[in-house]
Amino acid sequence: MLKIKNLYCGYNGFDIVKDISIEVKRGQNLSIVGPNGCGKTTMLKAIANLIEYKGEINIDGEELKTIKRKELAKKIAFMTQTSEIYFPYTVFETVALGRYAHFDGIFSKLSKDDEELVLSCIENVGLLDLKDKMITELSGGQLQRVYLARAFAQDPDIILLDEPTNHLDLKSQIEILGHINKWTKEKNKTVIGVLHDLNLVQMFSEEVIMIKEGHIIAKGSCSDVLEEERLKEVYGLNIKEFMVKALEKWK
């Protein structure tokens, strides 16, 4: 469903992502890993058409640049770390914003079906009892679940995740990624996420691509990509040895 060919992109005329080509299928959960500054977030921004790029990005055979912004919102949702709160909306009102791309005009109102979908999305992330609570009163983990429900309400084909669990406690991280995995499989959707915690990558991702200095140096299953010597080369640290020693302290 998503095909990227010879992708170059960056900022101020400088390419950070260089000659990346991948294909991602429906129902697939793909993680992008690599050290800071290697191009992971830049790549997501190009897929969301937030920055200019060279090469091809096709969704179901249609070039991204030819898709109108409102139509693109029906295909792609972009979820980052917890966003700034600009307006004191309720949980329901915030999640309902995800339906905007499906409105016929700026004065359209939620239909009965829209309202039911919004409530279903709120329930799916475990916040139905807080639907009338102001988002300014929520914890970081609760707020991130609200934004995830908003992405679900948008009903896109692809959700892009840029470190969505950063700064959250472990329980919230596992819950967020669990909701995402469930949505991927039940709806036959696609998730492409940037995650720093390689333990979470192992638990929740089926496919991984590893980027170094803007280039893909490995792609495949977690066991194939997160290989000890490769991790040492890319991160400059024997990550596996470190994690094994850390686990031994739990005995």
Side-chain angles (χ1 to χ4, degrees), residues 42-190:
T42 302
M43 180 177 167
L44 289 189
K45 287 181 178 179
I47 298 172
N49 203 22
L50 296 177
I51 60 173
E52 293 185 359
Y53 62 87
K54 293 169 287 186
E56 300 177 16
I57 302 177
N58 288 283
I59 300 176
D60 290 331
E62 189 173 4
E63 167 57 42
L64 186 69
K65 292 176 182 176
T66 68
I67 303 173
K68 293 181 179 179
R69 179 58 61 181
K70 187 173 180 181
E71 289 303 309
L72 187 60
K74 296 178 183 179
K75 296 177 180 291
I76 295 177
F78 194 179
M79 182 179 170
T80 64
Q81 299 172 32
T82 302
S83 305
E84 295 289 334
I85 302 174
Y86 296 106
F87 299 102
Y89 291 149
T90 66
V91 169
F92 181 89
E93 290 168 338
T94 303
V95 175
L97 292 174
R99 297 304 299 161
Y100 172 75
H102 300 271
F103 288 173
D104 292 328
I106 59 173
F107 298 110
S108 298
K109 294 183 178 180
L110 289 177
S111 67
K112 185 70 174 178
D113 288 342
D114 285 327
E115 290 181 1
E116 290 177 358
L117 176 61
V118 169
L119 288 173
S120 174
C121 292
I122 295 172
E123 183 176 18
N124 285 342
V125 299
L127 293 177
L128 192 58
D129 57 331
L130 301 179
K131 67 180 178 65
D132 297 317
K133 195 177 183 71
M134 307 302 289
I135 61 172
T136 50
E137 301 172 9
L138 302 179
S139 68
Q142 290 172 331
L143 186 58
Q144 197 67 326
R145 279 192 277 167
V146 171
Y147 292 137
L148 179 59
R150 184 177 65 185
F152 289 163
Q154 193 172 323
D155 195 28
D157 296 317
I158 303 168
I159 290 183
L160 305 176
L161 306 170
D162 187 14
E163 300 179 44
T165 61
N166 205 21
H167 305 310
L168 299 183
D169 61 66
L170 185 58
K171 181 174 182 289
S172 294
Q173 291 180 38
I174 293 171
E175 287 176 347
I176 290 280
L177 292 174
H179 292 313
I180 291 168
N181 260 4
K182 181 181 178 183
W183 177 83
T184 305
K185 299 310 173 190
E186 289 184 351
K187 304 290 186 179
N188 195 29
K189 304 286 191 176
T190 300

Side-chain angles (χ1 to χ4, degrees), residues 17-22 31-35 38 40 43 208-221 224-236:
V17 170
K18 305 162 187 172
D19 198 23
I20 281 183
S21 298
I22 60 169
S31 282
I32 306 172
V33 301
C38 71
K40 303 184 299 294
M43 180 177 167
V208 182
I209 64 172
M210 182 176 287
I211 299 179
K212 180 182 180 183
E213 297 176 353
H215 296 278
I216 291 180
I217 64 168
K219 54 185 174 182
S221 66
D224 288 339
V225 173
L226 304 181
E227 189 267 330
E228 185 173 357
E229 289 303 314
R230 183 178 293 117
L231 289 171
K232 216 188 315 186
E233 172 197 345
V234 172
Y235 289 92

